[in-house]
Amino acid sequence: LDLIESIVQEGVECQAFRAGVSPRLAKRMIFGALEEVSATWLGFRREGVKTPFDLQEAATEITEILAAGFRDRSFSGEERSTQ
């Protein structure tokens, strides 16, 4: 979880993520979403039932949704001047 928090913090510091994004809350959101999806997937597998979604596709979609929410819309990806 500390790795996720540090990645989000870096994103805020380089202005790739909005200034209001809390790294601590963001890491819990990311972990919680991935944990819930993987636990559901495992539950279906244990019961021998076909899973309702592909785990990799779900992880990708979660990442895209959360990243879009964190993203600073004005970020161009180029280094920003700190002056």
Side-chain angles (χ1 to χ4, degrees):
L1 287 179
D2 291 338
L3 177 61
I4 295 171
E5 185 174 352
S6 66
I7 290 169
V8 173
Q9 182 63 43
E10 279 185 43
V12 171
E13 289 172 1
C14 78
Q15 300 176 343
F17 295 157
R18 294 181 293 110
V21 173
S22 164
R24 282 190 164 171
L25 181 57
K27 79 176 177 183
R28 297 286 179 200
M29 289 172 30
I30 293 166
F31 183 78
L34 293 173
E35 191 276 331
E36 176 61 26
V37 168
S38 60
T40 300
W41 186 84
L42 283 172
F44 277 96
R45 296 284 302 229
R46 282 190 194 125
E47 295 173 12
V49 178
K50 181 175 173 12
T51 58
F53 52 83
D54 177 78
L55 192 57
Q56 181 62 44
E57 288 176 13
T60 299
E61 188 172 348
I62 289 167
T63 301
E64 290 172 357
I65 290 168
L66 292 176
F70 298 157
R71 189 173 301 118
D72 181 338
R73 303 287 188 253
S74 64
F75 183 71
S76 67
E78 298 175 16
E79 282 294 315
R80 291 188 177 202
S81 172
T82 56
Q83 298 176 9

